Amino acid sequence: QVQLVESGGGLVQPGGSLRLACTTSGLELHYYAVAWFRQAPGKERERVSCITNSDGSSYYGNSVKGRFTISTDDANKIVFLQMNNLKPEDTGVYYCAAELDSCPYLSVADWGTWGQGTQVTVSS
């Protein structure tokens, strides 16, 4: 079965950087879209980035454009999220998700496989 495991979260200061990893197994990653979501207490789950691995197209939420970069290590089947210039409002639990489709066609309810999440806290 498809499994996703997030890692790389932690406590960072505003302006700092962090790289999250979504380690995948049980899937042919080339045919999957993989997204990063985040959720803060009392807030809706928000898609922050997505990559359609069949063509390499990437997408970003407005709040993270210019600061976050999504990429795929095909050999090791890992999807990374490089987060730079972090802000306190970036705080939340970050999840990765995978689905056999393309990013533009997927809403939050359409993602079939989710990881357990990793906590990111941005605070001075």
Side-chain angles (χ1 to χ4, degrees):
Q1 70 276 22
V2 178
Q3 287 189 279
L4 310 175
V5 179
E6 300 96 335
S7 61
L11 174 64
V12 297
Q13 294 181 321
S17 297
L18 206 60
R19 188 178 72 165
L20 306 183
C22 177
T23 301
T24 73
S25 61
L27 79 171
E28 182 58 56
L29 189 56
H30 178 78
Y31 298 103
Y32 279 76
V34 177
W36 286 96
F37 294 80
R38 69 187 180 194
Q39 189 162 26
K43 304 293 185 181
E44 295 182 348
R45 187 166 295 192
E46 173 190 20
R47 194 176 90 173
V48 299
S49 190
C50 189
I51 185 165
T52 302
N53 284 305
S54 60
D55 63 11
S57 299
S58 58
Y59 305 84
Y60 300 92
N62 289 334
S63 63
V64 307
K65 286 179 180 177
R67 299 189 296 120
F68 290 10
T69 304
I70 191 168
S71 62
T72 297
D73 179 341
D74 295 306
N76 293 298
K77 301 176 71 173
I78 302 171
V79 177
F80 295 100
L81 185 68
Q82 178 67 47
M83 305 186 294
N84 297 326
N85 192 25
L86 285 161
K87 303 175 180 181
E89 52 263 44
D90 295 318
T91 294
V93 179
Y94 282 69
Y95 302 88
C96 61
E99 186 56 54
L100 277 167
D101 212 327
S102 297
C103 294
Y105 301 100
L106 293 163
S107 62
V108 66
D110 296 324
W111 295 85
T113 302
W114 295 78
Q116 294 299 305
T118 185
Q119 177 71 43
V120 172
T121 303
V122 185
S123 177
S124 58

